[in-house]
Amino acid sequence: MANNSFGESSCTAAASGLVQVRGARENNLKEVDVSIPRNALVVFSGVSGSGKSSLAFGTIYAEAQRRYFESVAPYARRLIDQAGVPDVDAIDGLPPAVALQQQRGSSNARSSVGSVTTLSSLVRMMYSRAGAYPANQPMLYAEDFSPNTPQGACPTCHGLGHVYEVTEAIMVPNPSLSIRERAIASWPPAWQGQNLRDILVSMGYDVDRPWKDLPKKDRDWILFTEETPTVPVYAGFTPAETRAALKRKMEPSYMGTFTGARRYVLHTFANTQSALMRKRVV
Ligand SMILES: [Zn+2]
């Protein structure tokens, strides 16, 4: 890629819609002169080591960044990865530039077009500098506009952009069933579900009435509480036997800790690696 791929032009760069690079010497580039059309998809091709990246990243993008940095306040410069000053005689017609590396770390739930392109850094900086603030309001900084900082993140979704809503209708699809009949479909099966039911019995909840006939206060607590009380459990006892055992302070089978249905769903969703499990709790 050592030669001028696009031919000479005598027009000025801006008028001709060209980015004109003259005398590029970054790394192994040898006085490369090149004119690149703007508003077009342009490809640099060449064998490994021929200088494609030195021209694209090391020269053109580096110069665009350098010019941009000159226009921002020193405190804001730390928000962006800085490129060095490229070894080049002149670049004309250069627009603001964004560079995407070929290989990026794996994306995560917080990746967005803005973060991958680093454009969100620039937008945050622009907001923090251009914003007009009501009287008596403190100055806002770029971080205050980031969904990845506590002060900038939306309080509802914590900056993730998604909210997992777990409603009564989802967790209890058939409200004519009792808790013993597994009205709470989102609870775990087998022993763990039975354990949660026995805990409710110890706490005095009626597990044999149809769900829809339980007081709203009870339904809400069972589904939505964040409390995790630990209570004596009498395995295999009926509710009446449990009440009697509690009254006599009988030695319990074990101490059981309650988890609300919503808490269980969100906890399982957040932690499970099993697609099957995820399917079942949602
Ligand atoms: Zn949000």
Side-chain angles (χ1 to χ4, degrees):
M1 226 269 356
N3 294 315
N4 182 338
S5 313
F6 298 98
E8 282 295 330
S9 169
S10 55
C11 308
T12 64
S16 63
L18 293 171
V19 176
Q20 297 192 318
V21 180
R22 295 293 172 262
R25 288 178 298 274
E26 192 70 19
N27 295 328
N28 49 353
L29 298 177
K30 300 204 166 31
E31 300 285 343
V32 171
D33 294 346
V34 63
S35 298
I36 302 160
R38 287 175 55 169
N39 302 318
L41 180 64
V42 177
V43 176
F44 297 152
S45 65
V47 298
S48 178
S50 58
K52 304 180 294 294
S53 295
S54 295
L55 181 62
F57 293 113
T59 305
I60 297 169
Y61 177 63
E63 176 62 10
Q65 283 301 86
R66 195 189 64 76
R67 291 181 192 180
Y68 170 72
F69 279 128
E70 286 181 349
S71 70
V72 303
Y75 80 88
R77 292 178 194 173
R78 67 193 159 86
L79 293 172
I80 304 170
D81 296 332
Q82 292 201 40
V85 178
D87 189 356
V88 61
D89 290 336
I91 302 182
D92 295 314
L94 186 60
V98 170
L100 304 187
Q101 300 295 334
Q102 307 169 44
Q103 273 159 357
R104 303 200 58 84
S106 60
S107 65
N108 61 48
R110 288 186 178 273
S111 295
S112 66
V113 173
S115 66
V116 169
T117 59
T118 73
L119 277 173
S120 54
S121 303
L122 309 184
V123 171
R124 284 200 291 281
M125 204 178 313
M126 187 180 77
Y127 280 176
S128 67
R129 289 173 61 77
Y133 307 108
N136 307 321
Q137 286 300 303
M139 159 89 184
L140 286 171
Y141 295 95
E143 291 89 337
D144 297 324
F145 295 96
S146 168
N148 295 322
T149 61
Q151 69 269 34
C154 160
T156 306
C157 69
H158 306 288
L160 284 172
H162 302 276
V163 177
Y164 295 101
E165 279 284 12
V166 187
T167 63
E168 179 169 2
I170 289 170
M171 292 187 283
V172 184
N174 182 356
S176 56
L177 296 178
S178 67
I179 292 173
R180 193 185 295 282
E181 293 166 331
R182 298 201 174 275
I184 305 169
S186 58
W187 259 355
W191 181 84
Q192 218 188 333
Q194 204 172 304
N195 169 50
L196 290 166
R197 182 198 70 203
D198 289 344
I199 291 168
L200 288 180
V201 171
S202 289
M203 296 182 74
Y205 288 98
D206 191 337
V207 301
D208 292 303
R209 266 167 86 182
W211 177 264
K212 60 178 162 46
D213 296 335
L214 295 174
K216 185 174 188 324
K217 184 167 72 70
D218 291 359
R219 301 200 313 267
D220 283 350
W221 191 86
I222 293 166
L223 295 183
F224 301 112
T225 188
E226 285 294 314
E227 294 167 38
T228 54
T230 298
V231 301
V233 172
Y234 298 91
F237 280 32
T238 65
E241 288 166 349
T242 301
R243 278 193 295 277
L246 283 167
K247 205 176 223 170
R248 293 202 308 272
K249 294 197 171 9
M250 238 179 87
E251 181 73 17
S253 311
Y254 60 90
M255 297 297 287
T257 300
F258 183 78
T259 299
R262 175 180 177 275
R263 186 180 158 88
Y264 174 78
V265 169
L266 294 181
H267 205 256
T268 307
F269 187 79
N271 289 296
T272 186
Q273 294 301 306
S274 153
L276 191 82
M277 190 71 161
R278 205 169 290 159
K279 201 176 165 195
R280 206 181 62 71
V281 298
V282 178

